[in-house]
Amino acid sequence: MPPKTIPLEGYRGYPESEMLARTVDLLATMERRRSVRDFSDRDVPDRVIENCLRVACTAPSGANLQPWHFVVVRNPDVKSRIRVAAEAEERDFYERRAPKEWLEALAPLGTDTRKPFLETAPLLIVIFAQAYGITADGSRIKHYYVHESVGIAAGLLITALHLAGLVTLTHTPAPMKFLSEILERPDNERPFLLMPVGYPAEDARVPDVHRRAYEQNVDFV
Ligand code: IYR
């Protein structure tokens, strides 16, 4: 028996001139995206965050198994515990573990062990990758292309937040095991990204770094 199919109903095409106009517009918008570390404490409506997370969940995934889980942290005590744990890892990283070459690569970003944005931002989105799934009856099912799938979902989330007029940072304090403990996540889930989300501080500054020339990224053959 072939699998059940349904008509492709959601697809929308556009005349060429409109395709061009839409992509010019989208490109101009996306080129303005920056990773931000200076956050305002101004609150963000839950419904906006929910819609952005719904966008993330439209990502394609290995065997459509959707191997992600998102935790939205608004509780100030939980944010504070996450900051304390992240800064402890970062101290170990910057002061002991990081090879010189890595520290040199990070120098233009001006990052250090202090992560105040983990408390200032009104919310943190913690993305977990499910290494394997658990069915309703409690048995394990294999997941495929987990990092690719969750990475794509993260990209859609970053895009959605930007289009909503919010800023974020793809923060990866390593190791991130403390996130599983603080957020009491099950064994099949691994922390993937920690994203503070909100509005930029009024005096927000970003590193003077630039995207490389498009031509260096792409070949048409
Ligand atoms: N996790 C550290 C170090 C760091 C690593 C990379 I790769 C970056 O792009 C930025 C920072 C920190 O967050 O400071």
Side-chain angles (χ1 to χ4, degrees), residues 25-36:
D25 224 52
L26 179 62
L27 174 60
T29 302
M30 291 313 296
E31 280 184 333
R32 288 189 287 102
R33 190 196 60 78
R34 292 296 311 251
S35 292
V36 169

Side-chain angles (χ1 to χ4, degrees), residues 48-59:
V48 171
I49 297 303
E50 178 184 327
N51 286 339
C52 293
L53 289 166
R54 286 180 184 273
V55 170
C57 295
T58 67

Side-chain angles (χ1 to χ4, degrees), residues 21-96:
R22 292 172 75 96
T23 52
V24 163
D25 224 52
L26 179 62
L27 174 60
T29 302
M30 291 313 296
E31 280 184 333
R32 288 189 287 102
R33 190 196 60 78
R34 292 296 311 251
S35 292
V36 169
R37 294 177 176 81
D38 299 339
F39 282 81
S40 150
D41 62 1
R42 180 177 158 206
D43 200 12
V44 176
D46 262 335
R47 280 187 14 216
V48 171
I49 297 303
E50 178 184 327
N51 286 339
C52 293
L53 289 166
R54 286 180 184 273
V55 170
C57 295
T58 67
S61 62
N64 192 36
L65 291 170
Q66 305 162 65
W68 46 66
H69 190 81
F70 301 87
V71 179
V72 180
V73 182
R74 282 188 171 283
N75 183 310
D77 297 330
V78 181
K79 284 197 297 176
S80 163
R81 287 171 60 204
I82 289 175
R83 177 182 177 182
V84 168
E87 288 183 336
E89 293 297 358
E90 297 292 23
R91 273 195 298 278
D92 196 42
F93 172 79
Y94 282 96
E95 289 160 20
R96 272 176 285 279

